[in-house]
Amino acid sequence: MRAFFEAIQSLFVDFLFLPLDALRKLELSSWWFANIISWCLMAVCAYYIVYWCRQLKEHQDNNEENQDTTAHSFLK
């Protein structure tokens, strides 16, 4: 059983965490490049938030949204 857990440790430490170790070393020379993944994820999230808000506005302008409080039986 011990060999199984050591194999999992080896998988993560020796292979899967190598990109994160590289980012950690890169942070010492350039903070901006080390945080590029965070910046990309924030940009993607911001894009989809804007997209979602535009879709909500489009549905509201077309009167497709039922805003009546009696639309749900539990609100009666």
Side-chain angles (χ1 to χ4, degrees), residues 27-68:
E27 184 180 12
L28 297 175
S29 62
S30 174
W31 180 87
W32 290 99
F33 288 131
N35 289 306
I36 194 83
I37 294 174
S38 298
W39 290 106
C40 290
L41 289 176
M42 287 192 318
V44 167
C45 289
Y47 172 78
Y48 281 109
I49 288 172
V50 170
Y51 173 79
W52 179 46
C53 289
R54 286 183 182 173
Q55 291 296 317
L56 287 174
K57 175 114 175 77
E58 181 180 321
H59 286 287
Q60 187 175 10
D61 290 344
N62 290 337
N63 293 327
E64 295 177 9
E65 186 176 355
N66 187 1
Q67 295 182 347
D68 187 15

